[in-house]
């Protein structure tokens, strides 16, 4: 049953080849001062930086820079960004990059006019902004996190050994995002396929929860089939525009709040994967891939009807003459075969983990309540052992 | 391939039992004067009117009434509504009803401050509003049109024998809509199942177009499967909340712009059905149902790969050992069986049409360009003849 919910997603999307030209529509809506936020040098090397700056100048903007946003943006970087935004009297924060840059821009946007410590207020106490929020726009260069069309913002506090995400309300969503699939072409294959699995995992974390049969589940099955199909093509031909554009749009809808509406969600795979990431610094999507099959095979008996449905509706398994368990297992086998075909890392040993880390992995794993089985620490250990 | 597009849907949705309480969140954002727009007496009989007025009073609003919106709102009614909105100095137009009431509210919203003739400006010249738009909110009591979360507004000019829809941009979308599935329970079965087919047709009009394989197609397959499943349940148990809530949410996403993004669309079934409606005054959804099978069987050879995909992905047809044509035909047969099971009207004779009307039906049918076959007038005639 669809539970009660509210839905609002006001982000304006410019999608397709040359989508960055959407800036020309949007920039005139904001004041003169733009804080341009980006990461390392990749946007300079691939020409996106020059393109964006040219449009900013053309629109008569004063550009202030905030470069060096790292893959896991820190509280120290956030403090620096806030200072830069204040000094610039920024009317708009323009994020050019992937999910981390966009997450960071949102963190700055709610902190510029905040009198309290943003880390404490937003990421420890999970409060909503009470100050004026500086609007954020986004030019996306990597797919996966959905940050271009949601309120998610993950910030890392190294001193406290914490990496925490706050999901802000729609007033913090980017006002606009420019999504050009060709901007994602330069990513190395390892990162590309890890991103594909991150998208897959976002959908599955929301799919494998609850016993209901609602529109959200059907929408997710559509997104999964689209992703599975296009990922196979993109693996062979990374510059296939059709595949990359479908994956980019699928990634946005996988995590822009729609498909979770009216249902419960799990997110345990992310908890397991993030524990691996914390101890090995491995690529996020690969940590999810490496723990997924042992996790799903472990919880399958507790969510058998949904795993059967997954096998039939997503993987096209023919259920005739088979037990539900056989159908469900065939679905997971098809998923594993697809994952291996993409070249995903299928065990945590290959990511640098080993048996000696098991205790620490278990300790670092948050146990979620929304899945088909609330894991015990022993089960977490068994899943990690199986993942070695 | 996903073509270039922009996407923005800022409508805030309150969904579920008691969703009308969302008004308490929204009303404080607007000024004191509210124009309450509704149709006939049904919202008074089922208590929704009293509930809404009580909340308006509780929120300290001055309520001005604009009742009597008809199923096909006319230019004369629009002129009356504009006068009422001006007299009320309306800060908000609150539509309580189905798609017609919501369509009409949008027409008033862009006409209150318009110096020109709204019919000429919006529905003949298809211009965008250049005046201040009065915000619209919606409490939905019937599903089907998607008007609660889009910019569509259909107005009828009886003198000119024209019924024309303008699809306005996002600034005309309702600011908020309250969707309570229980508000749809009182609809008679004939209207209910006609509405289900209207939703189905909205999706199919967007699905059966183009040769590409994109995320929109996969999302539509998900929506179709959800609708097919829940409609069967609702037919037997109209007060099954799960089924009615899924159908309500599916109807919204069937026509709130998302699934058409990046692709072409057809809409010929609506053109055929509307011609029938113009000559018989039959229920909209039933006119679509009555012409669909002859239309789809006629165009099947021109869009064979998509009809095959439809059979397999939506209706679960096993393609093994069959020609593409056989698979596609099996899909349409499954669709026809589902339609008959719902009790839809499957021919235009039962809607009051007859062979003598064929010439007029052909003359009244607009020929669209986006489908798998651009029909000739002879083909239109053959499809109507087949539909008798």
């Amino acid at each position: 049953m669809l539970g009660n919910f509210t839905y609002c997603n006001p982000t304006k999307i410019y999608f397709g080849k040359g989508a960055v030209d959407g800036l020309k529509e949007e920039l005139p809506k904001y004041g003169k001062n733009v804080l341009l936020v980006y990461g390392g040098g990749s946007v300079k090397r691939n020409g996106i930086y020059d393109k964006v700056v040219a449009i900013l100048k053309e629109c008569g903007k004063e550009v202030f820079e905030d470069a060096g946003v790292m893959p896991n943006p820190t509280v120290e970087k956030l403090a620096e960004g806030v200072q830069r935004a204040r000094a610039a009297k920024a009317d708009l924060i323009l994020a050019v990059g992937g999910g981390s840059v966009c997450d960071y821009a949102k963190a700055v946007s709610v902190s510029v006019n905040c009198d309290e410590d943003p880390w404490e207020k937003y990421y420890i106490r999970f409060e909503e902004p009470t100050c004026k929020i500086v609007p954020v726009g986004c030019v996306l260069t990597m797919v996966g996190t959905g940050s271009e069309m949601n309120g998610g913002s993950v910030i890392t506090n190294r001193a406290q050994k914490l990496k925490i995400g706050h999901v802000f309300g729609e007033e913090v969503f980017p006002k606009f995002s420019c999504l050009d699939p060709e901007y994602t072409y330069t990513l190395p294959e390892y990162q590309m396929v890890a991103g594909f699995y991150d998208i897959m995992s976002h959908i599955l974390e929301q799919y494998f929860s609850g016993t209901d049969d609602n529109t959200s589940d059907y929408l997710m099955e559509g997104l999964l089939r689209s992703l599975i199909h296009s990922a196979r093509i993109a693996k062979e031909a990374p510059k296939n525009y059709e595949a990359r554009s479908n994956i980019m749009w699928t990634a946005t809808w996988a995590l822009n709040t729609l498909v979770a509406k009216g249902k419960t969600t799990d997110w345990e795979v992310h908890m397991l994967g993030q524990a691996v990431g914390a101890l090995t610094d491995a690529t996020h999507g690969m940590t999810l891939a490496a723990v997924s099959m042992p996790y799903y095979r472990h919880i399958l008996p507790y969510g058998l009807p949904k795993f059967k449905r997954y096998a039939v509706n997503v993987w096209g398994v023919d259920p005739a003459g088979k037990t539900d368990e056989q159908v469900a297992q065939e679905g997971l086998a098809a998923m594993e075969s697809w994952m291996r075909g993409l070249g995903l890392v299928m065990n945590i040993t290959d990511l640098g983990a080993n048996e000696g880390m098991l205790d620490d992995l278990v300790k670092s794993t948050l146990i979620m309540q929304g899945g088909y089985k609330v894991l015990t620490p022993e089960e977490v250990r068994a899943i990690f052992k199986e993942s070695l």
Side-chain angles (χ1 to χ4, degrees), chain A:
Chain A
M1 186 174 97
L2 279 172
N4 282 14
F5 62 85
T6 61
Y7 175 86
C8 184
N9 196 323
T11 304
K12 175 130 188 176
I13 299 290
Y14 294 85
F15 192 99
K17 296 181 187 185
V20 72
D21 285 334
L23 289 177
K24 295 175 191 169
E25 300 284 321
E26 294 298 322
L27 291 174
K29 299 178 186 170
Y30 304 92
K32 195 176 169 60
N33 301 325
V34 176
L35 185 70
L36 184 62
V37 174
Y38 56 100
S42 71
V43 295
K44 289 205 168 168
R45 283 192 301 277
N46 60 26
I48 295 173
Y49 172 89
D50 288 340
K51 179 90 187 162
V52 169
V53 169
I55 296 174
L56 285 164
K57 296 288 182 196
E58 187 186 324
C59 293
K61 301 298 177 185
E62 188 89 37
V63 181
F64 299 85
E65 301 240 344
D66 182 15
V69 180
M70 55 288 281
N72 292 306
T74 62
V75 286
E76 292 79 13
K77 178 64 191 165
L78 172 57
E80 184 196 322
V82 168
Q83 290 313 316
R84 285 178 186 272
R86 286 177 182 164
K89 294 189 167 49
D91 299 303
L92 175 72
I93 301 171
L94 186 61
V96 181
S100 299
V101 175
C102 201
D103 276 26
Y104 167 82
K106 287 180 232 173
V108 174
S109 80
V110 295
S111 303
V112 176
N113 299 308
C114 178
D115 295 330
E116 302 162 76
D117 175 356
W119 172 256
E120 288 289 328
K121 181 179 174 75
Y122 301 125
Y123 299 91
I124 297 294
R125 300 201 304 269
F126 287 100
E127 292 175 17
E128 288 305 298
T130 44
C131 61
K132 190 167 176 295
I133 300 162
V134 181
V136 169
C138 172
V139 176
L140 197 68
T141 63
M142 274 200 289
V143 304
T145 71
S147 191
E148 66 276 13
M149 203 181 184
N150 68 32
S153 173
V154 180
I155 294 294
T156 295
N157 187 318
R158 290 197 191 286
Q160 296 179 16
K161 292 197 172 69
L162 290 171
K163 177 176 168 180
I164 297 178
H166 185 141
V167 180
F168 290 100
E170 65 250 22
E171 68 283 359
V172 184
F173 286 30
K175 300 299 177 202
F176 60 88
S177 287
C178 302
L179 276 58
D180 185 338
E182 293 185 335
Y183 281 18
T184 69
Y185 283 179
T186 53
L187 205 65
E189 181 177 308
Y190 186 90
Q191 304 296 332
M192 176 185 80
V193 297
F196 295 170
Y197 193 76
D198 193 20
I199 303 165
M200 181 88 173
S201 185
H202 289 159
I203 306 171
L204 293 182
E205 299 275 32
Q206 300 170 90
Y207 183 76
F208 283 123
S209 178
T211 56
D212 299 302
D213 182 24
N214 63 39
T215 303
S216 296
D217 289 317
Y218 286 98
L219 285 169
M220 283 189 272
E221 287 166 356
L223 291 172
L224 287 166
R225 292 171 74 119
S226 179
L227 176 65
I228 291 162
H229 173 76
S230 290
R232 283 189 180 120
I233 296 169
K235 161 78 178 178
E236 299 307 317
K239 295 196 177 179
N240 181 302
Y241 182 84
E242 180 165 3
R244 296 303 287 273
S245 62
N246 283 324
I247 292 168
M248 194 171 206
W249 195 221
T250 297
T252 298
W253 287 89
L255 202 55
N256 70 356
T257 81
L258 173 64
V259 297
K261 289 300 167 187
K263 72 184 300 295
T264 56
T265 57
D266 182 1
W267 294 101
E268 189 62 48
V269 168
H270 272 66
M271 297 306 112
L272 294 162
Q274 279 167 209
V276 175
L279 292 168
T280 65
D281 215 26
T283 301
H284 174 66
M286 292 305 188
T287 67
L288 304 176
V291 300
S292 279
M293 296 314 303
Y295 175 70
Y296 288 130
R297 290 201 166 109
H298 184 82
I299 64 163
L300 182 145
Y302 305 97
L304 187 56
K306 194 60 162 285
F307 279 94
K308 182 190 174 189
R309 176 179 166 157
Y310 176 63
V312 174
N313 288 2
V314 177
W315 295 100
V317 173
D318 180 359
K322 296 169 196 159
T323 66
D324 289 357
E325 164 90 19
Q326 284 171 328
V327 174
Q329 290 287 3
E330 240 184 82
L332 289 186
M335 175 182 170
E336 181 170 351
S337 165
W338 174 79
M339 292 171 76
R340 292 190 185 281
L342 288 183
L344 294 168
V345 178
M346 298 301 284
N347 64 74
I348 61 175
T349 307
D350 287 351
L351 296 175
N354 58 54
E355 190 139 14
M357 291 180 184
L358 282 178
D359 287 344
D360 282 344
L361 284 168
V362 175
K363 263 185 234 151
S364 302
T365 301
L366 196 62
I367 291 173
M368 306 301 279
Q369 304 294 315
Y372 288 122
K373 172 73 176 72
V374 179
L375 300 181
T376 63
E378 292 69 36
E379 289 178 305
V380 172
R381 189 184 174 89
I383 290 164
F384 278 128
K385 199 156 184 216
E386 192 69 29
S387 306
L388 279 170

